[in-house]
Amino acid sequence: MKLDFIDNGNEFDFGRTSEDYAKFRDIYPKNMYDKLIVFGIGKKGQKILDLGSGTAVLPVNMYHTGAEFTATDISENQIEFGRKIAKERKLDNINFKVCSAENTGFEDNTFDVVTAVQCFQYFNADKATKEIRRVLKPDGLFCKIFMDWLPFEDEVIGEMENHVLKYSPDWNGCGFEKFRYI
């Protein structure tokens, strides 16, 4: 993937870090999942599409709700590690597909819910929004979740940025400000 606003437009591939994602990326608090349930996401029998799912963190943590999840990502490695986690934990209500958020290949009106956790900024927003509308059932729900790690609000994050800059002085991901949503 190559985006001008990340690392000066240098190409990057989350799939190269899939093993670490699988070990360390399960970072979302339990109260986030509880809140999703309060909002009606995760009902038994619901069909949920998780875009940019990576190693399927959201589906893995919500499997107990009885919803049927489909985890998608453009990275084959991310999806493969998600499959491995689901198999190890015997989670048979998670399906996997390698595809982009902008072109999923699913039929119209297939899903009750579409989620995008910590990933929407990597999508072509216009194309992904059209695709989300297309695959959602009438009255379906779309939930975009994004957590900001702000170095000026958190000492640990600030120190982490300083450490990265020590070894990568050209890194332009530092000084992150509140994300401007579309």
Side-chain angles (χ1 to χ4, degrees):
M1 180 177 299
K2 188 174 180 176
L3 299 171
D4 291 338
F5 62 92
I6 296 176
D7 285 341
N8 298 310
N10 292 319
E11 197 163 328
F12 61 96
D13 178 2
F14 287 120
R16 294 174 61 195
T17 63
S18 296
E19 188 172 356
D20 287 337
Y21 257 70
K23 288 179 187 173
F24 306 113
R25 186 68 171 165
D26 193 355
I27 60 172
Y28 311 114
K30 180 184 179 309
N31 64 352
M32 180 192 87
Y33 299 108
D34 295 342
K35 188 62 78 173
L36 290 174
I37 292 167
V38 168
F39 289 146
I41 297 171
K43 294 179 182 176
K44 185 175 178 133
Q46 242 178 9
K47 289 188 171 201
I48 300 176
L49 172 61
D50 188 37
L51 298 172
S53 193
T55 57
V57 173
L58 180 114
V60 166
N61 280 284
M62 293 191 73
Y63 79 93
H64 67 280
T65 65
E68 179 184 321
F69 293 91
T70 300
T72 65
D73 201 282
I74 61 170
S75 169
E76 291 181 32
N77 285 347
Q78 293 284 71
I79 290 297
E80 193 54 42
F81 272 88
R83 277 191 186 109
K84 182 180 173 187
I85 291 167
K87 185 176 180 181
E88 287 170 358
R89 298 182 188 184
K90 298 181 169 103
L91 310 178
D92 59 0
N93 58 342
I94 304 174
N95 302 301
F96 294 89
K97 183 177 183 181
V98 176
C99 65
S100 72
E102 298 84 0
N103 184 13
T104 63
F106 293 109
E107 297 290 323
D108 294 357
N109 305 315
T110 300
F111 296 95
D112 301 294
V113 176
V114 175
T115 57
V117 183
Q118 212 67 11
C119 59
F120 202 85
Q121 68 272 21
Y122 301 111
F123 304 160
N124 176 311
D126 291 335
K127 291 179 181 179
T129 300
K130 287 177 185 167
E131 183 70 356
I132 290 164
R133 285 185 182 130
R134 187 185 69 74
V135 300
L136 267 177
K137 293 178 181 177
D139 298 321
L141 300 171
F142 170 58
C143 181
K144 176 172 72 170
I145 299 169
F146 185 77
M147 297 185 322
D148 289 336
W149 297 99
L150 304 174
F152 54 86
E153 290 183 2
D154 187 296
E155 187 178 318
V156 172
I157 300 302
E159 285 300 314
M160 183 231 25
E161 282 196 354
N162 290 334
H163 189 71
V164 171
L165 286 168
K166 179 178 176 182
Y167 296 98
S168 256
D170 294 332
W171 178 53
N172 71 346
C174 63
F176 192 77
E177 296 178 11
K178 292 189 179 192
F179 193 75
R180 291 176 184 90
Y181 296 97
I182 298 171

